[in-house]
Amino acid sequence: MSPRLYTFQFGRVLLITGSGLEEKRELYSEVFSKPHPVSDFYNKYVFFDVQEIPIDQDSFIVGKLIKYKTKLEDVVIEDSALGTSQVEDAIVAQPEFVLHPYTGIVAFRVMPGKFNASQFKNKFARLIEAAFDNFFISAKVETVNEELKIEEQFNLFTSLHSICLELHPSNPHNNDLWREIDDKIKALGAVEYNQQVVAPEGRSLNKEEVANSEIYAGIIMASDGYGHASIEGIQENGRRVKVTTDDNPIETKTHLDGEPEHLVKQLTQTFKMVWDRVKNEHKDKN
């Protein structure tokens, strides 16, 4: 029987930090050095079993993001009668993650029904902020989209009704396709750049002009994990649709045998593929 394969999805951790938190290695050392749980209405979340793994003169951080309930009612049968018992700190899910701290690229196991990708990205970011008591730091995890997928979707539109962009400056490298808008955001001294273009009711944006504008460059930038983009309009099949950079995340299949080094090595090729999309992102690492 073949070993089971698990799906890992790729994202990019975006950090906005205050003075004294610029060094990523020190920042992540603080994040993972001791537990700083966060909670929602039903569950708690915490990083667990985190360790640094050196691979081929590089360094990755491997760990788990635990989702657990402080108290879980479990059905029991006693003397032929149904009852419940309380289970303390019951684990709901514990997806593995692999983080490359310098580039911020993170791969994490997808667990549909237990811990979806949107929930993982939100809680990962909140746990980073919690390590600093939510002072002088803001974190987001954005999807890294399959290369060319968003362009393919754009080309299918026959009518463009609206485009929304939320972008964050690259740190420190960029892609030639979106260098101009990235440099513009950096020159403004902005940590977030939002843009929305909307066509008049019943009409379309000029698709050719959009395709040659910084708006399109911003879509590609978001697709590389530096923000979020959405496009709404009518495609060739006549349907009104909304596509986003969350729709086609980079995913890969891997085995889990409990060995962190083996997990990292299985994911390395996909990490390199993502790095290659952003000019010199990994090669110039200090």
Side-chain angles (χ1 to χ4, degrees), residues 50 78 85 90 125 127 129 138 161 170 175 204 227 238 244 249 256 262 265-266:
V50 178
E78 187 174 348
S85 66
L127 282 166
E129 294 170 345
S138 175
H161 296 165
S170 70
N175 182 318
S204 172
T244 79
L256 289 174
H262 186 214
K265 287 179 178 179
Q266 290 180 87

Side-chain angles (χ1 to χ4, degrees), residues 109-126:
R109 179 155 68 101
V110 179
M111 301 182 70
K114 290 185 176 181
F115 207 159
N116 64 43
S118 177
Q119 190 178 42
F120 182 96
K121 291 184 292 183
N122 175 268
K123 298 305 183 287
F124 195 97
R126 284 188 58 197

Side-chain angles (χ1 to χ4, degrees), residues 81 129 132 155 185 190 194 200 219 240:
E129 294 170 345
F132 298 94
N155 291 333
I185 298 170
N194 293 283
I219 294 171
R240 183 181 181 117

Side-chain angles (χ1 to χ4, degrees), residues 78-265:
E78 187 174 348
D79 297 330
S80 299
L82 289 177
T84 60
S85 66
Q86 296 286 342
V87 179
E88 300 288 337
D89 295 340
I91 293 176
V92 178
Q94 45 183 328
E96 297 81 357
F97 67 85
V98 177
L99 170 68
H100 187 255
Y102 177 73
T103 60
I105 301 299
V106 60
F108 57 93
R109 179 155 68 101
V110 179
M111 301 182 70
K114 290 185 176 181
F115 207 159
N116 64 43
S118 177
Q119 190 178 42
F120 182 96
K121 291 184 292 183
N122 175 268
K123 298 305 183 287
F124 195 97
R126 284 188 58 197
L127 282 166
I128 292 174
E129 294 170 345
F132 298 94
D133 296 322
N134 298 294
F135 285 112
F136 307 115
I137 186 167
S138 175
K140 276 189 175 182
V141 181
E142 297 286 8
T143 301
V144 178
N145 208 55
E146 282 283 1
E147 194 168 19
L148 303 180
K149 282 293 185 181
I150 195 71
E151 292 121 298
E152 291 172 4
Q153 287 294 321
F154 179 86
N155 291 333
L156 291 176
F157 281 96
T158 57
S159 180
L160 292 171
H161 296 165
S162 67
I163 300 173
C164 296
L165 298 175
E166 178 191 300
L167 303 175
H168 301 269
S170 70
N171 181 22
H173 304 293
N174 52 33
N175 182 318
D176 287 340
L177 294 174
W178 42 263
R179 176 188 295 277
E180 191 171 324
I181 189 170
D182 186 37
D183 288 346
K184 173 182 176 180
I185 298 170
K186 291 176 180 176
L188 290 169
V191 296
E192 185 174 306
Y193 178 88
N194 293 283
Q195 187 173 17
Q196 181 178 23
V197 288
V198 181
E201 185 67 31
R203 297 176 63 184
S204 172
L205 297 170
N206 186 318
K207 185 177 178 180
E208 184 176 350
E209 286 295 320
V210 171
N212 292 291
S213 71
E214 73 171 19
I215 297 168
Y216 187 79
I219 294 171
I220 307 305
M221 184 175 177
S223 178
D224 283 340
Y226 285 106
H228 183 269
S230 64
I231 309 168
E232 191 167 356
I234 296 174
Q235 291 193 332
E236 293 174 349
N237 56 13
R239 292 179 55 209
R240 183 181 181 117
V241 298
K242 180 178 181 179
V243 299
T244 79
T245 47
D246 284 331
D247 294 341
N248 294 285
I250 289 180
E251 293 183 343
T252 191
K253 302 283 188 181
T254 184
H255 301 292
L256 289 174
D257 59 7
E259 293 297 330
E261 294 88 349
H262 186 214
L263 175 59
V264 174
K265 287 179 178 179

